Amino acid sequence: MADLLSGAWRACVGTGRFNLALRRDYQESLALVQREIGFGHIRGHGLFGDDVGVHRPYTYGGEHRVRHAFTYVDQVIDAYLELGVRPFLELGFMPGDLASGDQTVFWWKGNVTPPRDHAEWAALVRATVAHLVDRYGIEEVRTWPIEVWNEPNLKDFWQDADQAAYHRLYEVTAKTIKEIDASLQVGGPAISPGSDEWMTDFADFVAAHDVPVDFVSRHAYSSHPARHVPFATLQGLAPAETLLEQFATPRRQLAGGPLEGLPVHITEFNTSYRPDNAVHDTAHDAAYLAPVLAGGGDVCDSFSYWTFCDVFEEAGIPTSILHGGFGLLTHRQLKKPTYHLYAFMARMGSHIVGRGEDHLVTRDERGRITVLAWALEPRRIRLPLPPGEHFVVRSTVNEEHGNLRRAWLEMGSPHSPTPRQLDTLRELAEPYRTHRRADGGGLDLSLAQNEVTLVEVSPVIEEAPPWPLL
């Protein structure tokens, strides 16, 4: 029996900070992504940011008190659920009035210092999770993984990258969540590449202190050090296998230890970790990431592309519609080549019938065969076909076809395209499609540089009458 295609590639997707989900362009982009790809969960920063307004301290009768307000939280999560995607909750960053210091990250100033009062932090977590359970039901919220913080191994994201302080935060948070319901999923440590020892230290800590943990998480990027130019970043890339190695690292590290067998979630991955690197907009990015999507589910339980759209402001408000943002979509729902890679994967069958270093072949329950093939350099692939006649549809993205960035550059790189230019770019960003009837035997594919192609092969059931119609 054929192996089943893992759903790890679309189990989760990343997003800009929580507050951005209130915007029209964001919700229109997410609606498109959900129609054509269909992610299971969505994760981003900023749930406890001051612009969401959950933690609201005040003084009354000479006493310090806190109101927990969920006006924006409810609007965002309602929108997510209506669009068929569930939250993968990241608890952070620190509300300004609860922070022990003033260190912040990003243009929107997320506070990255520990709480000045861990009891007040626990009350914030308790109130938030209890509210979600009350509003959406415990059975629903049990399906939402809850991750404690983001990249605490980096000084930019956690003051002094203080591991002991993070372990304390994690312990307080995890125990608070489990007091609400023991079946809620909580995990961490959400580390970035470069400090792998944090994973084993985390495992040792939670085991030694009997701290709950239901999954472990880390991030993966494959870019070299950054060289900055105005409004952009230049970086080279390590081979794509680097990402798969990072995906596999937690299972290898935890083997034989107290956390062996726990689900492993890669809660962020991409080529570059910069939101202004043009590689994200290229056909090369799609061809480079194709083997990662095809094989990542073999080594982890989920891997979350960072991010679904360019409504994203970590480095400031974008100055151009194509600016190297993380998104699969630009503002105004223009599709990048990597968007098409994901959309192609969404049209694959559920049963794997063949795979190689440059292709993946699946079959669905109706007998339709799908072939995803990719190439960084031109090559030819020959694959067998079952006997009989077939209707073959091929969708292609490469340097020439379905390449939004190339069309935009040839248009003159307009920073703010007119409505007519947007319509033109939207049309030119679609894959090149061909169709034909083919006899069984073999399928010959010629792939160009930086190409991703999807071939859908369906049996022909002839229903045409025997008399001429023309």
Side-chain angles (χ1 to χ4, degrees):
M1 185 174 179
D3 293 334
L4 291 177
L5 179 62
S6 167
W9 64 275
R10 63 174 171 185
C12 188
V13 72
T15 172
R17 75 181 187 278
F18 197 85
N19 177 278
L20 295 177
L22 299 170
R23 296 188 185 178
R24 175 183 172 184
D25 192 22
Y26 179 107
Q27 293 194 17
E28 290 177 346
S29 295
L30 185 56
L32 174 59
V33 164
Q34 288 304 99
R35 284 196 305 271
E36 297 191 352
I37 300 172
F39 290 101
H41 290 82
I42 188 166
R43 172 196 174 271
H45 312 319
L47 172 63
F48 291 152
D50 290 341
D51 61 353
V52 180
V54 177
H55 182 265
R56 309 295 284 276
Y58 64 99
T59 301
Y60 185 75
E63 294 184 3
H64 172 78
R65 305 185 185 191
V66 177
R67 169 178 287 184
H68 298 108
F70 303 103
T71 306
Y72 282 179
V73 171
D74 293 347
Q75 290 182 50
V76 171
I77 295 183
D78 286 355
Y80 285 164
L81 296 178
E82 288 169 7
L83 292 170
V85 66
R86 292 180 160 114
F88 193 122
L89 293 172
E90 177 203 299
L91 301 185
F93 293 118
M94 196 60 59
D97 289 317
L98 181 53
S100 60
D102 57 7
Q103 181 183 338
T104 63
V105 68
F106 303 141
W107 169 81
W108 46 271
K109 299 188 183 304
N111 190 288
V112 295
T113 67
R116 55 171 173 72
D117 184 334
H118 281 81
E120 192 167 320
W121 167 264
L124 169 63
V125 172
R126 183 180 298 107
T128 302
V129 176
H131 170 79
L132 297 175
V133 169
D134 182 63
R135 184 176 178 86
Y136 301 104
I138 188 61
E139 294 300 326
E140 174 65 29
V141 180
R142 282 172 178 162
T143 68
W144 304 356
I146 304 173
E147 186 178 41
V148 181
W149 213 255
N150 174 75
E151 298 186 350
N153 61 308
L154 295 183
K155 293 180 180 180
D156 286 345
F157 286 101
W158 184 241
Q159 184 174 273
D160 301 324
D162 187 330
Q163 189 179 73
Y166 173 74
H167 287 166
R168 184 183 180 196
L169 183 82
Y170 180 86
E171 180 176 12
V172 169
T173 307
K175 289 182 176 179
T176 299
I177 290 168
K178 293 296 187 177
E179 288 171 1
I180 298 170
D181 185 90
S183 297
L184 293 170
Q185 304 175 58
V186 62
I191 57 172
S192 73
S195 301
D196 289 349
E197 70 281 359
W198 270 63
M199 186 65 71
T200 50
D201 291 345
F202 176 75
D204 292 342
F205 173 81
V206 296
H209 295 82
D210 195 26
V211 179
V213 58
D214 299 297
F215 64 88
V216 295
S217 60
R218 68 159 286 164
H219 300 164
Y221 292 93
S222 57
S223 50
H224 297 315
R227 181 165 66 89
H228 299 285
V229 297
F231 304 106
T233 297
L234 305 177
Q235 292 168 289
L237 300 179
E241 292 76 14
T242 302
L243 287 171
L244 292 173
E245 291 168 2
Q246 292 179 53
F247 290 6
T249 296
R251 283 186 183 171
R252 176 181 55 79
Q253 289 181 293
L254 301 176
L259 304 189
E260 182 178 29
L262 284 186
V264 173
H265 297 306
I266 308 301
T267 51
E268 285 181 31
F269 91 96
N270 208 316
T271 43
S272 169
Y273 55 82
R274 288 288 311 181
D276 53 2
N277 187 326
V279 70
H280 297 132
D281 302 338
T282 64
H284 176 81
D285 197 69
Y288 175 97
L289 289 175
V292 178
L293 265 65
D298 297 336
V299 294
C300 65
D301 294 274
S302 75
F303 48 105
S304 179
Y305 187 81
W306 189 252
T307 59
F308 82 89
C309 80
D310 279 350
V311 182
F312 188 93
E313 296 177 354
E314 287 182 358
I317 298 169
T319 61
S320 176
I321 195 158
L322 273 176
H323 57 272
F326 289 122
L328 297 170
L329 294 170
T330 71
H331 290 78
R332 308 296 187 92
Q333 297 85 56
L334 300 181
K335 299 174 182 178
K336 302 181 188 181
T338 304
Y339 178 95
H340 295 303
L341 168 63
Y342 270 87
F344 290 171
M345 284 287 293
R347 285 157 61 184
M348 301 286 283
S350 58
H351 300 277
I352 299 175
V353 296
R355 63 196 309 174
E357 65 176 11
D358 53 11
H359 66 274
L360 175 67
V361 184
T362 67
R363 186 187 70 248
D364 66 16
E365 287 72 14
R366 298 176 63 88
R368 181 181 63 104
I369 294 171
T370 48
V371 180
L372 182 74
W374 55 87
L376 296 177
E377 300 294 337
R379 67 174 59 189
R380 295 181 65 86
I381 301 174
R382 180 171 176 80
L383 299 170
L385 282 181
E389 289 192 308
H390 306 278
F391 181 60
V392 180
V393 179
R394 181 174 178 179
S395 304
T396 298
V397 172
N398 55 32
E399 289 294 328
E400 183 176 357
H401 300 295
N403 190 338
L404 171 66
R405 178 174 168 79
R406 176 178 174 179
W408 176 75
L409 289 170
E410 291 176 348
M411 186 180 278
S413 307
H415 291 169
S416 298
T418 66
R420 178 62 190 137
Q421 287 176 318
L422 286 171
D423 288 343
T424 299
L425 290 170
R426 193 168 288 113
E427 292 172 2
L428 295 175
E430 286 299 307
Y432 175 68
R433 293 187 171 96
T434 59
H435 57 85
R436 64 187 175 92
R437 184 182 288 203
D439 294 327
L443 183 65
D444 290 307
L445 299 178
S446 294
L447 275 68
Q449 182 181 8
N450 293 326
E451 178 164 323
V452 177
T453 195
L454 176 73
V455 182
E456 300 171 85
V457 182
S458 303
V460 172
I461 301 175
E462 187 60 74
E463 297 183 9
W467 53 85
L469 296 178
L470 289 176

